[in-house]
């Protein structure tokens, strides 16, 4: 299943996550933001259970912002799992 979420409060515009039927991350694509860092994060997340990634990423902030691109990935994963 592929799910796309519009990001809020960060430089990146959107996050697309693809999960297997049993909740394993197949891919993460972030549009905008810090390209190299987000490619690295996406590569590290591939193959992990979505719940584990959420636990690691949720609540992370960027500078003075109340969220971050990793936090937005966690939110996209949560929403995808709820579908």
């Amino acid at each position: 299943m592929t799910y796309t979420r519009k990001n809020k409060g960060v430089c990146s515009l959107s996050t697309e996550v693809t999960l297997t039927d049993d909740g394993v991350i197949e891919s993460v694509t972030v549009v905008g933001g810090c390209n190299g860092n987000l490619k690295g994060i996406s590569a590290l997340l591939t193959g992990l259970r979505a719940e584990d990634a959420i636990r690691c990423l949720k609540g992370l902030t960027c500078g003075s912002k109340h969220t971050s691109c990793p936090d937005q990935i966690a939110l996209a994963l949560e929403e995808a799992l709820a579908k």
Side-chain angles (χ1 to χ4, degrees):
M1 173 238 300
T2 299
Y3 179 79
T4 303
R5 179 181 191 278
K6 183 178 177 182
N7 292 341
K8 298 175 183 126
V10 293
C11 300
S12 61
L13 302 174
S14 64
T15 299
E16 180 181 279
V17 296
T18 303
L19 304 177
T20 64
D21 291 337
D22 58 343
V24 174
I25 300 169
E26 288 186 333
S27 67
V28 176
T29 303
V30 180
V31 176
C34 302
N35 187 39
N37 289 333
L38 292 168
K39 282 181 183 176
I41 291 168
S42 298
L44 290 169
L45 294 176
T46 301
L48 292 181
R49 297 198 48 75
E51 294 90 353
D52 295 333
I54 292 165
R55 187 173 41 257
C56 291
L57 302 176
K58 190 167 182 180
L60 295 176
T61 59
C62 180
S64 63
K65 298 174 185 172
H66 296 290
T67 188
S68 65
C69 291
D71 185 49
Q72 295 295 301
I73 293 170
L75 295 173
L77 289 168
E78 283 182 329
E79 290 176 15
L81 288 174
K83 292 241 173 226

